[in-house]
Amino acid sequence: MTQPRAADGGAMTFRTIIEPFRIHSVEPLRITTVGERGRAIRDAGFNLFNLRSEDVLIDLLTDSGTGAMSRDQWAGVQRGDESYAGSPSWFRFLESVQDLFPFRHVIPTHQGRAAEKILFTAIGGAGKIIPNNTHFDTTRANVEFTGAEAVDLVIAEGLDPASTHPFKGNMDVGRLDQLLEARGADVPVVFVTITNNSGGGQPVSLANLTAVSEICHRHRIPLFLDACRFAENAWFIREREPGQHDRDVRDIVRDMAALADGMTMSAKKDGLANIGGWLALDDDALAESCRNLLILTEGFPTYGGLAGRDLEAIAQGLREVVDHDYLRYRIRSTAYLGDALITAGVPVVRPIGGHAVYLDARALLPHIPPLEYPGQSLAVALYETGGIRSCEIGTVMFGLRPDGTEHAAPLDLVRLAIPRRTYTQSHVDYVIEVCTDVAGRASSLRGYRIVEQPRALRHFTARFAPAET
Ligand SMILES: Cc1ncc(COP(=O)(O)O)c(C=O)c1O
């Protein structure tokens, strides 16, 4: 991976950005044939979530919980104290969270969606509206499960895969203000997702968060962050936002937190852990009702849904994720994949996001209508061709409305999510080769139809068959 200029501060005088770690233990990868993969994906109902992971060579399904932990995190696992209440592991976790996000109440959960479920159970319900730049699928599902309406208000550039706006995750503040003006009484919370996963892993600027915070507080509505990729968002702010370049990422994170009244978090992303999450907030009364819900389903408030060893892994992960050398490598290595695909003429969402490269399946496969799922078609082809597992983020994921009707999603993307600290540059070079090969014969790919699906979150379990055209 190279960068066109020397890394900052003159500390590195060479252009090659290396992985700032070396390998400590290895996991074998199983090489399979095209025939074996064809059988495996057919048996899986052409749904990549149904594959056995041993049948996958490079697993880019998600960056969630799939990263490699560090030596010091594994040391933390050994140190984990499993006392039911008040364990030292809990206090180390609490200190680490509050060092970056100094909210008064921190409620540990087994992962991000548990925090969402608890929060929206407490404040959602029929007639309520929850705005977000773009709701992630579990967030939307948890909002809608309560009967509330999930509204996406990302800026127009955020829906244009070709726009190179530096902060495509920004909220459309004009539309937010109008919504709060008209329906403020029905809005219990405003969310901003950093970075905007469903919109291409695009960041939100500090200026935009400041404007959103001002509008929310003028309408006396709390602002919460869906902060799964907070460190990547802060790094983009440091790289792209005027006046931020010389700042410590930790201070940028603290600035983001100071603009909000609470957060939900999946520690499986920028917690650098394999499991975990939390809900944090300042409001005492709301925290009390959330803790009561926590006890019903997750556990006692000093461990939530986690073992003491998990709390330790997250506490250490939060210290490592804000390291500048790590973030420089992380963001650059994702861009390395994206830039190579752009050079090869493969349509991707630009600029390249933090945790993933998003292939624009609708642009690559214009002969497949959205309701025949071009993203699914591309994802299946990447698997059959090279054993790469990716994730459709399009009409399969978002096309089914709560009333049972189906509509094309705004975009049909395929996400190549990069697990943290897991794959090397040669793995990524292989991915580039496979994607280029599939793109070169895009016109031969065919659409799919759904033969079986649940009523919500259908992308996890739906089964497909090739379309009959
Ligand atoms: C933006 C965003 N919010 C929430 C979640 C849910 O987190 P979890 O998978 O830990 O439940 C995810 C997971 O991918 C996410 O990307």
Side-chain angles (χ1 to χ4, degrees):
M1 294 168 280
T2 58
Q3 181 152 285
R5 58 183 173 74
D8 72 343
M12 300 257 300
T13 51
F14 297 102
R15 288 172 47 198
T16 303
I17 296 187
I18 62 166
E19 288 86 354
F21 48 81
R22 57 187 180 188
I23 291 165
H24 174 259
S25 75
V26 298
E27 282 180 275
L29 292 176
R30 195 167 78 82
I31 312 277
T32 52
T33 64
V34 173
E36 285 171 327
R37 295 195 290 270
R39 279 191 294 283
I41 194 70
R42 244 192 340 272
D43 292 348
F46 298 97
N47 185 336
L48 293 114
F49 283 98
N50 289 339
L51 288 170
R52 286 168 175 259
S53 62
E54 294 111 320
D55 293 334
V56 174
L57 184 61
I58 307 284
D59 205 343
L60 308 183
L61 182 68
T62 174
D63 64 319
S64 179
T66 52
M69 291 214 296
S70 69
R71 175 193 62 192
D72 295 342
Q73 285 179 289
W74 284 110
V77 167
Q78 284 298 323
R79 193 164 60 150
D81 180 305
E82 304 305 338
S83 302
Y84 188 91
S87 125
S89 300
W90 153 252
F91 287 105
R92 275 191 283 273
F93 167 85
L94 181 63
E95 191 187 325
S96 232
V97 171
Q98 288 183 326
D99 179 45
L100 295 171
F101 302 99
F103 296 115
R104 268 216 299 284
H105 304 278
V106 178
I107 298 175
T109 58
H110 78 275
Q111 62 184 94
R113 68 197 69 186
E116 294 163 4
K117 168 85 177 146
I118 289 170
L119 179 67
F120 295 127
T121 302
I123 63 173
K128 301 276 173 62
I129 301 175
I130 318 284
N132 201 328
N133 46 354
T134 312
H135 288 271
F136 183 66
D137 59 351
T138 60
T139 325
R140 172 174 291 278
N142 272 306
V143 167
E144 289 175 349
F145 189 74
T146 70
E149 189 188 345
V151 175
D152 292 341
L153 294 177
V154 73
I155 55 170
E157 291 88 337
L159 295 174
D160 173 5
S163 160
T164 53
H165 190 291
F167 291 102
K168 286 172 77 171
N170 281 355
M171 180 84 100
D172 184 330
V173 287
R175 286 170 66 208
L176 176 67
D177 204 11
Q178 274 166 18
L179 176 71
L180 299 190
E181 212 43 75
R183 298 283 306 272
D186 300 323
V187 178
V189 67
V190 171
F191 256 79
V192 175
T193 304
I194 53 172
T195 57
N196 188 20
N197 184 2
S198 306
Q202 301 292 333
V204 176
S205 71
L206 211 43
N208 185 255
L209 263 185
T210 305
V212 170
S213 174
E214 186 277 316
I215 292 169
C216 290
H217 294 135
R218 179 154 43 79
H219 290 275
R220 299 182 183 284
I221 295 170
L223 169 63
F224 272 52
L225 302 174
D226 177 343
C228 298
R229 298 175 181 84
F230 71 85
E232 293 172 7
N233 199 87
W235 183 259
F236 279 122
I237 287 174
R238 186 175 185 275
E239 291 277 285
R240 297 182 183 170
E241 194 159 346
Q244 301 295 327
H245 193 66
D246 293 325
R247 300 190 65 204
D248 189 318
V249 142
R250 279 171 291 219
D251 291 329
I252 297 175
V253 173
R254 290 177 191 126
D255 283 358
M256 298 191 300
L259 292 166
D261 305 283
M263 67 188 292
T264 54
M265 175 71 190
S266 168
K268 301 171 74 174
K269 286 82 169 176
D270 277 351
L272 297 182
N274 300 123
I275 196 71
W278 68 86
L279 167 66
L281 66 167
D282 280 332
D283 183 320
D284 297 336
L286 180 57
E288 190 184 332
S289 49
C290 289
R291 278 205 185 92
N292 290 338
L293 290 166
L294 180 88
I295 292 168
L296 280 183
T297 57
E298 293 282 298
F300 188 73
T302 65
Y303 71 83
L306 295 167
R309 63 181 81 99
D310 302 322
L311 295 168
E312 293 276 0
I314 297 167
Q316 177 60 23
L318 290 175
R319 286 192 277 274
E320 294 175 11
V321 79
V322 287
D323 176 76
H324 286 199
D325 290 334
Y326 161 74
L327 283 168
R328 182 178 299 110
Y329 140 79
R330 168 75 178 156
I331 299 301
R332 181 60 208 138
S333 59
T334 306
Y336 173 80
L337 170 60
D339 290 348
L341 293 176
I342 291 168
T343 304
V346 181
V348 300
V349 174
R350 302 165 79 167
I352 304 304
H355 68 292
V357 173
Y358 292 71
L359 308 179
D360 185 348
R362 199 174 286 173
L364 186 65
L365 307 172
H367 58 290
I368 302 181
L371 294 185
E372 289 186 9
Y373 317 123
Q376 193 68 19
S377 171
L378 180 57
V380 169
L382 292 175
Y383 174 70
E384 283 178 330
T385 306
I388 296 167
R389 178 154 66 170
S390 55
C391 184
E392 193 265 10
I393 307 251
T395 303
V396 175
M397 190 178 272
F398 298 116
L400 187 63
R401 300 267 170 87
D403 65 4
T405 59
E406 193 182 28
H407 301 265
L411 301 171
D412 275 301
L413 306 176
V414 170
R415 185 183 69 183
L416 305 173
I418 317 294
R420 293 167 180 76
R421 307 188 291 201
T422 302
Y423 291 114
T424 65
Q425 188 171 342
S426 68
H427 292 121
V428 175
D429 287 335
Y430 172 84
V431 173
I432 294 164
E433 207 179 325
V434 173
C435 290
T436 308
D437 178 81
V438 170
R441 50 192 174 75
S443 61
S444 69
L445 303 192
R446 291 289 162 261
Y448 284 84
R449 63 192 166 87
I450 291 180
V451 292
E452 220 180 282
Q453 64 179 350
R455 285 180 50 198
L457 295 177
R458 66 176 177 177
H459 56 288
F460 287 130
T461 54
R463 294 183 75 82
F464 300 81
E468 281 136 5
T469 43

